[in-house]
Amino acid sequence: MAFAGCTPVSSTKRNPIELSGQLVLTGSSTVAPLATEIAKRFEQQHPQVRVDVQTGGSGKGIADVRLGVADIGMASRPLASDETDLTAHRIAADGVGLIVHASNSVDELSQEQVIAIYTDKINNWKEVGGDDKEISVVHKAEGRATLEVFLKHYEIDNPSVKGDVIVGENEHAVKTVAGTKGAIGYVSIGTAEADIESGVPIRLLPLNGVAANTANVASGVFPMSRPLNLVTSGSPTELASRFIQFCQSAEVHDLVKSQYFVPVTSESDIAK
């Protein structure tokens, strides 16, 4: 699975005890839980280092890095054409999937049906083969990477979307759909899988006949997927470089998988 704009960080061979200082990471709510767990392990190996992880969306992470108020941004999307001043370092991959309430009888929606639902042309589930129930459209706020992935995949302009509920975090979307039987939303597949496993009443819909699961994201067959990146501006400090290198290493693959993401498995993957 190829993602553009991601560059590996060159390795260093200094004694770990030399590392000290503080790193501030801001950005994607999808990347943040993973970055937090990796940071805890990094701090255990380097007791004089503190890593502060803050959320706020991919857009905030990129803006904060540009402003110099964050050492590293977190972005759950590739860099855009107007972000060539930044460097993306891929640490994992994720898929974005459509979710409905577990009781919803609709098995799958076509590309055209999803577009019609989100642009207020289809308002009842019976119009797409489901029960006679009003559709509640759950949409993401500006600056959320899942929003950008969704809009790009379905080729929808955001102003044309008619959302009934606007949410930020993935978990907010999950809770909204779980609490509203007629709702539809879109979230990180990893988040949805974890919530389904813990008994949250939602269901992931397949896309173009492909099941929405992390195995299909890993194989590259799931069509609505994205890279999870750490973003830097200019030349990162040694501490930032070492942290990014650690995030891309096999030492954290267990943490990546525990978040239901797909880890970077080789140098060639990192460079994609």
Side-chain angles (χ1 to χ4, degrees):
M1 181 166 30
F3 296 110
C6 301
T7 304
V9 174
S10 59
S11 62
T12 60
K13 296 183 179 180
R14 299 196 180 187
N15 191 319
I17 199 67
E18 293 180 10
L19 285 182
S20 63
Q22 182 174 4
L23 288 175
V24 175
L25 280 67
T26 68
S28 167
S29 62
T30 299
V31 180
L34 172 59
T36 298
E37 291 305 309
I38 294 175
K40 289 177 183 176
R41 185 170 292 178
F42 191 74
E43 289 174 342
Q44 287 173 351
Q45 294 187 12
H46 308 283
Q48 298 181 56
V49 172
R50 290 293 173 265
V51 183
D52 180 17
V53 180
Q54 306 169 15
T55 59
S58 295
K60 176 175 173 55
I62 286 170
D64 286 352
V65 166
R66 280 176 161 164
L67 290 170
V69 296
D71 301 289
I72 299 172
M74 299 176 291
S76 42
R77 62 165 176 78
L79 291 178
S81 58
D82 62 350
E83 294 168 346
T84 55
D85 56 311
L86 305 173
T87 302
H89 313 272
R90 182 186 169 201
I91 62 171
D94 182 29
V96 177
L98 292 167
I99 56 170
V100 295
H101 192 274
S103 65
N104 196 312
S105 60
V106 171
D107 292 326
E108 185 171 359
L109 294 168
S110 69
Q111 182 104 347
E112 293 74 20
Q113 287 172 332
V114 174
I115 293 170
I117 287 171
Y118 270 83
T119 56
D120 203 30
K121 295 179 176 64
I122 291 179
N123 306 106
N124 195 297
W125 285 107
K126 69 180 179 182
E127 298 178 66
V128 291
D131 299 331
D132 184 5
K133 186 176 292 293
E134 185 177 350
I135 298 174
S136 177
V137 173
V138 180
H139 193 42
K140 286 293 191 76
E142 287 280 3
R144 299 291 173 172
T146 40
L147 165 72
E148 296 170 29
V149 173
F150 173 81
L151 295 176
K152 181 177 180 180
H153 178 80
Y154 286 103
E155 299 180 343
I156 306 174
D157 293 325
N158 200 34
S160 66
V161 174
K162 309 300 180 186
D164 296 302
V165 182
I166 306 299
V167 299
E169 306 281 333
N170 282 316
E171 287 295 353
H172 189 185
V174 169
K175 289 176 182 177
T176 302
V177 173
T180 310
K181 291 188 175 181
I184 182 172
Y186 53 90
V187 296
S188 161
I189 289 174
T191 298
E193 281 188 334
D195 284 334
I196 291 168
E197 189 176 326
S198 65
V200 177
I202 60 168
R203 186 161 52 84
L204 280 157
L205 295 180
L207 193 59
N208 301 340
V210 180
N213 58 46
T214 49
N216 286 334
V217 175
S219 68
V221 300
F222 189 75
M224 196 158 56
S225 59
R226 58 184 173 162
L228 303 185
N229 291 322
L230 299 182
V231 178
T232 56
S233 176
S235 298
T237 63
E238 180 184 0
L239 179 57
S241 295
R242 291 282 289 274
F243 179 74
I244 293 167
Q245 178 191 343
F246 185 70
C247 291
Q248 293 176 324
S249 73
E251 290 185 71
V252 300
H253 282 185
D254 61 322
L255 299 178
V256 175
K257 291 176 181 177
S258 73
Q259 299 282 335
Y260 299 94
F261 298 139
V262 180
V264 170
T265 56
S266 69
E267 286 298 318
S268 60
D269 282 344
I270 295 171
K272 289 177 181 178

